[in-house]
Amino acid sequence: MTIQKPDRNIPNSGSLAGGIRDALSKWLRSDVDDMLPAKVVSYNRTTNRAVIRPLVMVGTTDGSKVSRASIPNVKVFRFGGGGYFMSFPLQPGDFGWLKANDRDISLVMQSMGGEDWPNTARLHSFSDAMFFPDTIKDWIIGGGNLSGAVFQSTDGTRSIALNDQTIDIAAPLVTIAGNVAITGASVTHNGTEIGDTHTHTGSPSAPDGPVSDTGTPV
């Protein structure tokens, strides 16, 4: 014979206050969403929407553990403002936090951030959630002088560090598209001056001329 485990806290039994606590607890568990750790099932970078699965399981009255269902069409938090933003190529399995809004945000999202009325009476539901990516594990700080703010790959092989006196870039290859303007006292490559005052030693002054030092760039 299987004994059904009661869906209540035994110490709350036998009193009005305990019964109210049980009822509130059951309501919070079943009808109110707030925030849970979650992972990416799939991600569309063009629409910035993802399918997200919460990682905290649900317990049934018989003691079974049940995985929560995946939630489709969740807007991914993308840090930005003033005409600039940061975008990341989220992959299945990436960790983050699923956060429910207080009210129905569907009309606000349809108007691309305009003020609007909640479309339904829905409250604190993951149907109105945002996903906040978080590199909670499997990363290292590496490459260059990283005493300040850092933007880098999780394996540490590529990084940009904004320090007190310098901006350090570490990468196997840096590609720059467009014009580059450098203003400073000197520009060096592997310790050799290559700025506007550098010269080349032992270079021909003309195609058939004698070998001599060149002048500075003009």
Side-chain angles (χ1 to χ4, degrees), residues 193-205 212-218:
E193 170 66 41
I194 60 171
D196 60 352
T197 61
H198 81 279
T199 61
H200 294 262
T201 301
S203 298
S205 56
S212 62
D213 292 350
T214 65
T216 59
V218 294

Side-chain angles (χ1 to χ4, degrees), residues 145-149 161-169 183-186:
N145 177 18
L146 304 182
S147 60
L162 181 64
N163 302 300
D164 291 340
Q165 301 295 327
T166 64
I167 297 177
D168 296 336
I169 301 175
T183 302
S186 66

Side-chain angles (χ1 to χ4, degrees), residues 1-212:
M1 177 180 178
T2 301
I3 300 176
Q4 189 83 346
K5 296 182 179 180
D7 188 20
R8 58 189 173 88
N9 190 349
I10 299 300
N12 287 336
S13 301
S15 70
L16 177 60
I20 293 174
R21 282 195 296 270
D22 260 346
L24 286 174
S25 178
K26 187 180 298 183
W27 173 71
L28 285 171
R29 288 198 308 270
S30 60
D31 297 318
V32 178
D33 296 324
D34 184 24
M35 186 167 74
L36 287 175
K39 71 176 182 179
V40 174
V41 176
S42 63
Y43 174 58
N44 186 323
R45 198 172 186 182
T46 301
T47 62
N48 197 40
R49 300 294 177 113
V51 177
I52 302 296
R53 186 168 72 82
L55 296 177
V56 176
M57 304 176 78
V58 176
T60 65
T61 55
D62 65 356
S64 300
K65 298 176 181 179
V66 181
S67 296
R68 293 175 183 259
S70 296
I71 302 170
N73 202 37
V74 177
K75 182 171 177 58
V76 176
F77 178 76
R78 187 162 54 191
F79 189 82
Y84 300 90
F85 67 90
M86 297 170 63
S87 174
F88 302 98
L90 298 183
Q91 301 297 319
D94 280 355
F95 180 85
W97 303 93
L98 186 67
K99 181 72 172 82
N101 278 275
D102 292 345
R103 300 297 303 271
D104 183 339
I105 62 171
S106 57
L107 295 182
V108 173
M109 292 296 98
Q110 289 175 26
S111 64
M112 301 298 291
E115 184 179 22
D116 215 321
W117 190 257
N119 193 42
T120 68
R122 191 167 60 223
L123 300 171
H124 297 281
S125 170
F126 286 143
S127 297
D128 305 299
M130 290 280 295
F131 179 72
F132 295 81
D134 183 1
T135 53
I136 192 172
K137 62 178 182 177
D138 297 334
W139 55 266
I140 58 173
I141 298 292
N145 177 18
L146 304 182
S147 60
V150 178
F151 181 79
Q152 72 159 59
S153 59
T154 52
D155 63 6
T157 60
R158 291 145 292 161
S159 63
I160 299 175
L162 181 64
N163 302 300
D164 291 340
Q165 301 295 327
T166 64
I167 297 177
D168 296 336
I169 301 175
L173 175 65
V174 177
T175 302
I176 301 175
N179 298 325
V180 178
I182 301 175
T183 302
S186 66
V187 179
T188 61
H189 176 251
N190 290 337
T192 301
E193 170 66 41
I194 60 171
D196 60 352
T197 61
H198 81 279
T199 61
H200 294 262
T201 301
S203 298
S205 56
D208 298 320
V211 173
S212 62

